[in-house]
Amino acid sequence: MVNIFTITSLSAFVFASTTSLLLVQTVTAKPVQTKKQVNQPILFNSRLQIYPANNSLPASRLITIEGVIKKSSKMQITEAKLTTYEEFAAKTGEYKSSISNNRMVWIVTGFVQGELRMAKGRSVCTDNAKLVELTDAETGDSFGRSIYCPPNNQMNFMP
């Protein structure tokens, strides 16, 4: 009878001690503070990113014109403009539901002298291709590029 009492007492003591320790840790624990960047893209369905509005951010939180031009090093830049996605979509007719109309974007326009191969080498613009690149002003993510070839300068290799 002494052995059962000792094992039971030991189990009760361990249980009480563990419970008290957990309770003390829960009551005295400080919340973990994390820096949340509110306007960063949100991953949706593990593939699609949603870009919320960020037009109220200070300019110091956006990519500078030098930073966006550095990414477009292959072209001779004619214009780089910081604007909202809504303005871009109104001018081009292109609209992505994953990007808020009040998202700040850089529109970089320029020309590439000489031959320009497009995706997978299937098409070639033989000379003076005009490029329009759309870049997120906060993250630097590319939202796409349009390539326009002057008449008689585009060759198509598609079968």
Side-chain angles (χ1 to χ4, degrees):
M1 182 157 178
V2 173
N3 287 340
I4 293 174
F5 181 72
T6 307
I7 293 172
T8 307
S9 296
L10 181 61
S11 296
F13 175 75
V14 170
F15 176 75
S17 298
T18 306
T19 305
S20 296
L21 181 62
L22 289 174
L23 183 60
V24 168
Q25 286 181 346
T26 303
V27 170
T28 60
K30 294 180 182 175
V32 176
Q33 293 186 1
T34 59
K35 287 186 178 180
K36 182 180 178 188
Q37 294 184 348
V38 202
N39 300 310
Q40 288 294 320
I42 302 162
L43 201 56
F44 182 72
N45 286 344
S46 73
R47 286 178 282 153
L48 178 65
Q49 289 186 343
I50 306 296
Y51 291 85
N54 67 353
N55 59 338
S56 61
L57 285 178
S60 62
R61 295 265 316 268
L62 301 177
I63 295 173
T64 63
I65 192 168
E66 292 83 11
V68 79
I69 286 174
K70 189 184 295 184
K71 290 183 172 196
S72 305
S73 62
K74 290 186 178 184
M75 71 170 138
Q76 295 175 340
I77 296 171
T78 57
E79 181 182 21
K81 181 179 180 182
L82 180 65
T83 186
T84 62
Y85 183 73
E86 180 177 34
E87 185 179 329
F88 168 79
K91 285 183 180 178
T92 62
E94 296 178 27
Y95 178 78
K96 294 181 182 179
S97 61
S98 61
I99 305 171
S100 168
N101 282 338
N102 292 319
R103 186 82 182 177
M104 297 303 293
V105 295
W106 280 103
I107 303 171
V108 179
T109 306
F111 291 90
V112 175
Q113 297 295 324
E115 183 177 277
L116 176 71
R117 293 192 180 271
M118 294 171 19
K120 298 181 183 178
R122 293 188 180 222
S123 295
V124 174
C125 186
T126 57
D127 192 26
N128 216 18
K130 178 181 176 183
L131 283 89
V132 178
E133 295 180 346
L134 185 65
T135 305
D136 183 64
E138 184 178 4
T139 65
D141 293 347
S142 174
F143 288 151
R145 172 191 294 179
S146 297
I147 301 172
Y148 305 97
C149 287
N152 302 322
N153 282 352
Q154 184 173 4
M155 295 171 40
N156 226 343
F157 291 108
M158 295 180 73

